[in-house]
Amino acid sequence: MEAEKIVFEENKSESMGSNIKKILFDNSVTFIFIILCLGGIYLSKQPVPFIVNELIQRITRNSFLVLSLIIPVLAGMGLNFGIVLGAMAGQIALIAITHFKIGGIAGFVLAALLTIPLALLFGYFTAKLLNKTKGQEMIAGMILGFFANGLYQLLFLFLVGTIIPMDNPTLVLSSGVGIKNTLDLSGPEGTKYALDAIAKIPFIKSTIVFSLAGAGYYIYKFIQSKKDERLMMQRNGFIIRGFLFTVLLIVSFYVSTIKSLVNNITVPLVTILIIGLICVFNVFILKTKAGQDFRSVGQDMNIAKISGIPVDKIRIRAILISTVLAGWGQLIFLQNIGTLNTYGSHEQVGTFAIAALLIGGASVTKATIGQAIIGTALFHTLFLVSPQAGKNLFGNAQIGEYFRVFVAYGVIGVSLGLHAWKQLFDKKNKK
Amino acid sequence: MEISTKKVISTLGIPRLIIITFMIVLCIMAIFLKLPLNDLLSDTLVRTGMNGVLVLAMVPGILSGIGLNFGLPLGIVCGLVGGLVSIEMDLTGYTAFLVAILVSIPISAIVGALYGYLLNRVKGSEMMVATYVGFSAVSLMCIGWLLMPFKAEEVKWPIGDGLRTTIALTGRYDKVLDHTLSFDIFGVTIPTGLLLFFFLSCFLMALFLKTKTGMAMKAAGDNPRFAIASGINVDKQRIVGTMISTILGAVGIIVYAQSFGFFQLYQAPLMMGFAAVAAILIGGASARRANIIHVILGTFLFQGLLTISLPVANKIITEGNLSEVLRIIVQNGIILYALTKVSSGGD
């Protein structure tokens, strides 16, 4: 009896060790970036309150766009480079409400509503194309982004003022044809901070509440797992997460007692609530029939087809949701930035969102909400600190700037490569 | 008569017919707008020769089975290094041009071999991986250009670190090929040297495809399983194809630069691969099929379209750059069209 118990314990500790190894291996990309970010923060010698403040802004600004990528990944369509079209839909809506001088939250809501039909239309075309290029969805989506960019430029550079009448000196170039390069969204008629400014709460206090809730939740889960067999498997996860939340709680409590500029930082409550809502939506939809269909199509298209799931229709649905969400994501992004770069704001949306998601540890076939948020945080930390770090390290800020561009492209390239390699490997093993 | 028109349509394909019709319409418009058609034709010829070798680089990639080589910037970057070395050695004229090519060939051969090795690991997703390998290489080289120890004054910024964004070739080998044996006919300047170099490259490629290695490469790309059965090392042939493609990319950018008059560093090579891909597709190639005719026809049509549409568009709408927008739409539209054919036509 005694010996048996020892063997059992040994097995357990071994599996624990290999578990940690597995966690480290599965998330190696994320860990590398955590180290890179910490190194960058150290080298850049920028004040911590500044970094925290910028980072909060950037996370609230960008995470919606990153979250819009998740559903197509689950549906087996890879990383949706077509979100560029969603971003365009958002911008078209934004230009429209700026033209009609509807500012503030009313303008923002109207733009969000206007985005829906546009994004549905663009999303439908995207999905139709991606259904024709199965197996090459990502490259097709990317080229489609470039192609749509051409049409977008045609619309706003040449058709506005010639075919589409628009008499608005603040928007249209002095020649009467074409929309200006940059549109200022500030002022009473603009939508700058339409969402962010509704309610702002202190960062540290909200973190204390948040981490308290998180720690409480996992402690509750842990206690429950003692009774419930099904939760036993996830026990280690509960311990780790509960521990992390407790650490966060202690740190934030400590910071709140000292005199630091971090205490002055506020977070936009409504924006965060909306991001939370979309997270809930993503979790919720996976539990419904529609979500199950996404997953079965994502796992194996042929099997799904045989079991009577209309594969093409499901794929169209996934892209439609993603495109609409991307449109809204771009609106959230722009209301925070405050200026619309008519011909540039949407161009890099796909690349940056995808790079952020991958840095969070996602792959072409697997992505979670946590990965999206962590990835956004890491990617933007790197964006924030790398110019200054490059300057301090090499005496040239440009190096840091090129480095972050390289990181964005490199991480996409490497993870696509690894995925393709793994697929090939699996295929060979099957044979 | 009806049969022959049908035959013409089927050999040319609908996209090409649209492009050719469009180009003819543009030419007619140019005449009506009283634009100098002979100058436009001269420009078209120059730009055909200038871009031709870059487009030719697509052929070994497609034939060896890696598909459209979106990773062309990799070769371009190698070519740029070769070009800079020849300036650093203070050479001029043909010597400089040839040294640039000679220096860049071994570099691009090594890079191409490694790249081919990588592409063998990612069969089925070559195009996507290649695109991002190209992008990463260009952005990594951006750091490289800042750190490289070149000394020549034409290459370096006068103050600060790093190399210039554009490096003028005036007094080096600016237009050496263009001006060789060039002559005027009906007001159209024929850049004989440039075109000869292009055709020579095409001829060498055609010759190579007839050799044993070339045949093996084609077989590997055409039907990998059959190739394996007949004792061909498919992976090796794919590496050969990628290597030649990368080398041609390097040579191509040097030819391009001598005609253009500048080397463009940093972000400039980022999107050059797409233009080359579009050109060969317009010529009638697909992701699995390509020949020399596709290269010549495609380059001529694509570059002709761009050259002629620019002044015509500017006459109609003076504001903005309509021709650039047109380029984006045509270039990416044709790539998209080809991609929809990949999965249905391919394996």
Side-chain angles (χ1 to χ4, degrees):
Chain A
M1 192 70 191
E2 197 69 40
E4 239 181 76
K5 204 176 180 184
I6 289 167
V7 170
F8 181 69
E9 286 289 346
E10 251 177 26
N11 270 344
K12 206 175 169 190
S13 72
E14 209 178 79
S15 75
M16 182 95 170
S18 65
N19 253 349
I20 291 173
K21 230 184 219 168
K22 197 170 175 298
I23 290 173
L24 280 176
F25 185 73
D26 285 349
N27 300 299
S28 49
V29 179
T30 316
F31 283 110
I32 290 169
F33 275 94
I34 290 175
I35 293 164
L36 263 178
C37 284
L38 290 177
I41 292 172
Y42 173 74
L43 281 170
S44 74
K45 298 195 178 69
Q46 277 164 323
V48 176
F50 167 77
I51 292 179
V52 173
N53 186 30
E54 274 291 310
L55 204 57
I56 289 170
Q57 281 223 12
R58 280 161 182 262
I59 291 174
T60 51
R61 186 197 292 167
N62 290 293
S63 44
F64 200 98
L65 275 167
V66 181
L67 286 165
S68 75
L69 289 168
I70 290 179
I71 287 180
V73 170
L74 296 176
M77 307 182 75
L79 303 156
N80 181 16
F81 280 85
I83 62 166
V84 177
L85 277 85
M88 284 177 195
Q91 281 173 201
I92 294 172
L94 198 65
I95 290 172
I97 59 138
T98 314
H99 173 64
F100 292 119
K101 298 207 166 101
I102 309 165
I105 185 68
F108 185 83
V109 172
L110 192 63
L113 289 177
L114 252 177
T115 305
I116 298 173
L118 286 172
L120 285 178
L121 184 72
F122 296 169
Y124 185 74
F125 285 128
T126 312
K128 276 275 172 197
L129 180 85
L130 296 190
N131 274 342
K132 277 199 167 174
T133 53
K134 278 178 196 146
Q136 304 286 346
E137 286 102 344
M138 283 189 272
I139 185 92
M142 196 171 96
I143 305 282
L144 179 68
F146 295 151
F147 178 71
N149 193 24
L151 294 179
Y152 178 91
Q153 286 187 18
L154 188 71
L155 171 67
F156 283 125
L157 275 177
F158 302 104
L159 298 186
V160 164
T162 48
I163 295 170
I164 307 163
M166 199 180 210
D167 186 24
N168 188 340
T170 51
L171 290 185
V172 179
L173 291 164
S174 55
S175 63
V177 178
I179 300 274
K180 280 181 186 165
N181 249 330
T182 48
L183 301 183
D184 188 10
L185 303 177
S186 59
E189 284 166 0
T191 38
K192 187 175 185 182
Y193 295 142
L195 219 52
D196 290 353
I198 296 174
K200 291 222 163 198
I201 50 171
F203 168 59
I204 287 297
K205 278 179 191 156
S206 50
T207 314
I208 292 175
V209 174
F210 175 68
S211 49
L212 204 61
Y217 176 75
Y218 283 112
I219 289 168
Y220 169 73
K221 275 272 179 186
F222 177 71
I223 293 166
Q224 249 200 346
S225 74
K226 281 189 172 170
K227 295 175 203 159
D228 197 337
E229 281 287 315
R230 279 173 299 170
L231 291 173
M232 271 300 269
M233 301 291 287
Q234 295 169 298
R235 234 167 124 176
N236 287 337
F238 292 150
I239 295 173
I240 293 169
R241 282 175 210 174
F243 176 72
L244 287 178
F245 272 113
T246 319
V247 170
L248 188 67
L249 179 67
I250 294 166
V251 169
S252 51
F253 193 73
Y254 169 72
V255 173
S256 73
T257 56
I258 58 167
K259 267 194 180 164
S260 164
L261 283 174
V262 178
N263 284 317
N264 297 341
I265 297 171
T266 55
V267 287
L269 181 65
V270 179
T271 318
I272 290 201
L273 282 181
I274 288 177
I275 292 167
L277 215 61
I278 210 64
C279 295
V280 173
F281 170 77
N282 269 345
V283 172
F284 175 74
I285 200 164
L286 284 183
K287 302 225 158 117
T288 62
K289 167 86 174 61
Q292 286 307 321
D293 286 350
F294 287 144
R295 277 197 179 158
S296 21
V297 171
Q299 245 147 30
D300 197 316
M301 244 190 284
N302 293 328
I303 293 176
K305 205 180 240 168
I306 292 163
S307 13
I309 298 171
V311 172
D312 282 5
K313 240 185 206 165
I314 299 290
R315 284 163 58 100
I316 291 176
R317 203 179 292 162
I319 293 293
L320 286 182
I321 295 175
S322 175
T323 314
V324 173
L325 290 184
W328 289 344
Q330 183 74 353
L331 287 178
I332 293 176
F333 175 83
L334 289 171
Q335 62 89 29
N336 181 277
I337 293 263
T339 47
L340 167 63
N341 184 351
T342 316
Y343 306 106
S345 285
H346 55 281
E347 272 188 330
Q348 293 286 30
V349 160
T351 310
F352 287 168
I354 285 165
L357 187 64
L358 292 173
I359 287 173
S363 74
V364 179
T365 47
K366 215 182 109 233
T368 63
I369 294 164
Q371 286 167 338
I373 306 276
I374 292 172
T376 316
L378 288 174
F379 185 63
H380 284 281
T381 311
L382 208 63
F383 248 61
L384 208 61
V385 296
S386 56
Q388 200 61 35
K391 198 174 175 189
N392 290 343
L393 203 61
F394 300 99
N396 194 338
Q398 281 260 277
I399 290 183
E401 253 165 65
Y402 286 131
F403 178 72
R404 64 188 192 186
V405 178
F406 167 65
V407 162
Y409 289 141
V411 74
I412 298 179
V414 168
S415 63
L416 291 178
L418 283 178
H419 176 71
W421 191 6
K422 200 174 150 269
Q423 246 179 354
L424 200 69
F425 198 71
D426 288 349
K427 222 187 202 171
K428 265 186 195 159
N429 273 2
K430 248 185 210 169
K431 280 177 191 168
Chain B
M1 186 65 204
E2 213 168 87
I3 297 163
S4 69
T5 20
K6 250 186 190 165
K7 206 179 166 195
V8 168
I9 290 173
S10 68
T11 40
L12 277 176
I14 292 172
R16 262 153 306 292
L17 279 180
I18 296 173
I19 302 254
I20 291 172
T21 324
F22 191 49
M23 204 165 144
I24 293 169
V25 170
L26 275 176
C27 284
I28 295 168
M29 278 167 87
I31 295 167
F32 274 110
L33 290 167
K34 297 201 173 56
L35 291 164
L37 202 59
N38 51 340
D39 285 358
L40 290 180
L41 278 177
S42 313
D43 280 354
T44 307
L45 287 178
V46 168
R47 289 180 61 162
T48 305
M50 184 169 153
N51 289 282
V53 182
L54 285 172
V55 181
L56 186 67
M58 290 296 137
V59 173
I62 294 172
L63 291 181
S64 68
I66 63 162
L68 304 165
N69 183 11
F70 286 104
L72 192 67
L74 217 55
I76 292 179
V77 167
C78 298
L80 290 175
V81 173
L84 294 187
V85 168
S86 85
I87 295 179
E88 181 78 10
M89 287 161 76
D90 205 17
L91 301 168
T92 53
Y94 260 109
T95 352
F97 178 69
L98 291 176
V99 166
I101 290 178
L102 286 180
V103 171
S104 65
I105 284 178
I107 303 175
S108 51
I110 295 168
V111 171
L114 291 174
Y115 174 45
Y117 188 75
L118 170 76
L119 288 184
N120 277 341
R121 296 266 165 280
V122 297
K123 278 179 197 162
S125 319
E126 290 102 337
M127 287 193 273
M128 197 63 206
V129 175
T131 308
Y132 274 91
V133 167
F135 282 177
S136 329
V138 170
S139 47
L140 189 63
M141 278 311 284
C142 283
I143 303 176
W145 303 129
L146 283 174
L147 299 174
M148 276 188 182
F150 281 104
K151 294 280 183 306
E153 289 200 353
E154 295 152 84
V155 178
K156 254 176 51 183
W157 283 118
I159 31 171
D161 303 317
L163 312 183
R164 292 169 192 255
T165 36
T166 52
I167 293 158
L169 292 175
T170 333
R172 292 287 171 195
Y173 43 95
D174 181 24
K175 301 197 173 50
V176 276
L177 286 177
D178 295 35
H179 288 166
T180 306
L181 300 173
S182 71
F183 59 91
D184 286 10
I185 183 166
F186 304 124
V188 179
T189 315
I190 311 282
T192 320
L194 183 66
L195 290 180
L196 273 181
F197 188 90
F198 173 40
F199 291 141
L200 183 72
S201 312
C202 288
F203 177 69
L204 287 177
M205 175 57 68
L207 217 58
F208 167 73
L209 292 177
K210 290 272 182 292
T211 62
K212 207 178 156 205
T213 322
M215 295 296 246
M217 193 182 87
K218 263 161 80 178
D222 205 33
N223 191 340
R225 275 187 209 136
F226 181 70
I228 290 171
S230 29
I232 293 170
N233 186 345
V234 172
D235 282 3
K236 198 182 134 200
Q237 295 306 330
R238 282 164 58 102
I239 293 178
V240 170
T242 319
M243 219 161 106
I244 297 173
S245 182
T246 311
I247 292 173
L248 281 174
V251 176
I253 194 65
I254 297 171
V255 176
Y256 181 91
Q258 66 81 29
S259 202
F260 189 53
F262 298 96
F263 273 123
Q264 295 170 294
L265 306 185
Y266 300 97
Q267 306 277 5
L270 201 63
M271 295 292 169
M272 279 185 176
F274 295 104
V277 169
I280 196 164
L281 293 174
I282 286 176
S286 73
R288 305 180 59 83
R289 199 171 58 92
N291 60 36
I292 305 295
I293 303 294
H294 296 151
V295 174
I296 298 173
L297 184 67
T299 318
F300 181 74
L301 282 180
F302 188 46
Q303 294 302 329
L305 191 71
L306 298 185
T307 320
I308 299 171
S309 72
L310 178 69
V312 172
N314 282 354
K315 274 266 172 166
I316 298 167
I317 300 178
T318 41
E319 296 296 320
N321 193 350
L322 183 60
S323 139
E324 171 66 11
V325 174
L326 195 74
R327 181 188 68 82
I328 295 173
I329 295 174
V330 170
Q331 175 183 313
N332 296 302
I334 192 86
I335 298 177
L336 276 184
Y337 177 80
L339 282 175
T340 59
K341 301 281 168 224
V342 172
S343 47
S344 55
D347 41 11

